Amino acid sequence: MNKCSQEFLSLADECLHQFAQTESDEFSSILTSDDLNSFQNCYPGCRVRDFPPIKTLTLSIRQVASDTKSCRHALIDEARDQVVRGNKEKVPNTDTSAYCKARQRLSEASLRGLLRISGNSLDHASPESWL
């Protein structure tokens, strides 16, 4: 999967829209497609699997932000969203083993880089009066 592939663009768009990253104002554009591309580039030659890095990142954020913090609930929520979007062929399995392995493949360096980028974007978007 490369940055020009339709699959990458679709996953990046899903990630950005899921967390209200619409780029309509300073605070809703903390991450951009370029930021996600940089994140994806940390995984050169990764096989296209059920849980590519961007999808795994999206599910991990969703899991951490949920009340239950459960892997299974994150996968159930994803399956529900796929059905709502009309992607009944792409409904993921709710067995957590593949997702947990995919989460372990996310490198600390790539997550740290994404966190640094989003933190800098948020800092630059903050009004001067907040300082």
Side-chain angles (χ1 to χ4, degrees):
M1 176 183 342
N2 62 37
K3 70 178 183 176
C4 297
S5 74
Q6 189 60 38
E7 184 179 4
F8 169 79
L9 296 173
S10 174
L11 289 173
D13 285 346
E14 274 184 40
C15 180
L16 294 174
H17 285 109
Q18 185 168 354
F19 300 106
Q21 300 291 299
T22 59
E23 299 182 28
S24 61
D25 62 30
E26 295 86 19
F27 288 112
S28 68
S29 61
I30 294 169
L31 289 176
T32 65
S33 292
D34 289 339
D35 299 335
L36 292 177
N37 184 39
S38 296
F39 175 79
Q40 182 70 34
N41 286 338
C42 293
Y43 301 92
C46 75
R47 293 186 337 208
V48 176
R49 303 173 179 197
D50 288 339
F51 297 102
I54 290 179
K55 184 171 187 143
T56 305
L57 173 71
T58 303
L59 287 170
S60 296
I61 293 170
R62 191 177 206 167
Q63 178 185 350
V64 169
S66 76
D67 292 336
T68 63
K69 311 288 189 248
S70 162
C71 295
R72 183 165 311 278
H73 281 141
L75 292 174
I76 290 170
D77 288 347
E78 174 66 13
R80 181 198 63 227
D81 289 352
Q82 291 297 332
V83 169
V84 167
R85 287 187 200 116
N87 297 337
K88 294 180 182 174
E89 308 87 45
K90 292 185 177 183
V91 176
N93 187 344
T94 57
D95 179 33
T96 60
S97 61
Y99 166 60
C100 290
K101 289 176 185 175
R103 230 184 31 209
Q104 289 174 347
R105 285 191 299 269
L106 293 178
S107 73
E108 186 176 329
S110 68
L111 295 171
R112 189 177 323 124
L114 198 59
L115 183 61
R116 217 175 255 131
I117 289 169
S118 62
N120 286 335
S121 296
L122 187 58
D123 185 47
H124 292 348
S126 300
E128 193 70 30
S129 64
W130 289 8
L131 300 177

